[in-house]
Amino acid sequence: MPIDAKLPYDEGNIFARILRGEIPCKKVYEDDFALAFHDIAPQAPTHVLVIPKGPYVSWDDFSAQAPDALIAGFVRAVGHVARDQGLDVPGYRLLANMGQDGGQEVPHFHVHLFGGRPLGPMLAR
Ligand code: 5GP
């Protein structure tokens, strides 16, 4: 079920628990700003989730409330992960679902990184 992205941050959400090390993940990258790990239900040959290290529900929350250093560090981390996965030459797609219409299910801001094959049209028709 898509979330109500205007609710307060829920410290018990699954990505918060992954960040705290309470639940395992297949980690691909970590720095002071971000953690990246494989999606549990991949929808492309490469499907990595990149999450910021901070309590932000959504893109809306992150873009409005996060400090500049975290936003910059997060964006650099996403780019680093994409290059590290070998996707910078063939290309890739980034996706951030936001709120109900965006279909966001996990209430901790995250970017999906898809790659490894031509990804087709931007949206299902
Ligand atoms: P959203 O719809 O919120 O943008 O995407 C949430 C994503 O998180 C989905 O692609 C889903 O497969 C992934 N996911 C949900 N629970 C877990 C989990 O426990 N571990 C990992 N690695 N991915 C998860």
Side-chain angles (χ1 to χ4, degrees):
M1 281 289 288
I3 61 150
D4 177 352
K6 290 296 184 186
L7 288 175
Y9 186 78
D10 169 15
E11 293 286 351
N13 81 75
I14 194 86
F15 291 173
R17 299 185 66 195
I18 286 173
L19 265 182
R20 293 196 296 269
E22 297 167 6
I23 291 179
C25 69
K26 287 190 185 169
K27 179 163 73 173
V28 299
Y29 180 72
E30 182 170 18
D31 64 18
D32 289 346
F33 306 105
L35 174 68
F37 52 91
H38 290 286
D39 196 288
I40 204 167
Q43 296 189 39
T46 300
H47 183 175
V48 169
L49 300 168
V50 190
I51 70 175
K53 290 189 171 179
Y56 302 99
V57 175
S58 66
W59 167 264
D60 183 64
D61 188 21
F62 185 70
S63 62
Q65 305 297 337
D68 291 356
L70 180 56
I71 293 174
F74 178 75
V75 170
R76 289 199 187 280
V78 173
H80 175 90
V81 170
R83 284 187 296 277
D84 208 44
Q85 295 288 312
L87 298 177
D88 52 324
V89 173
Y92 55 89
R93 181 169 294 159
L94 299 176
L95 176 71
N97 294 319
M98 156 60 206
Q100 294 274 328
D101 279 3
Q104 182 180 358
E105 295 199 335
V106 177
H108 181 113
F109 171 53
H110 51 282
V111 167
H112 296 256
L113 168 63
F114 298 107
R117 64 167 168 79
L119 292 162
M122 191 159 54
L123 292 176
R125 304 197 187 277

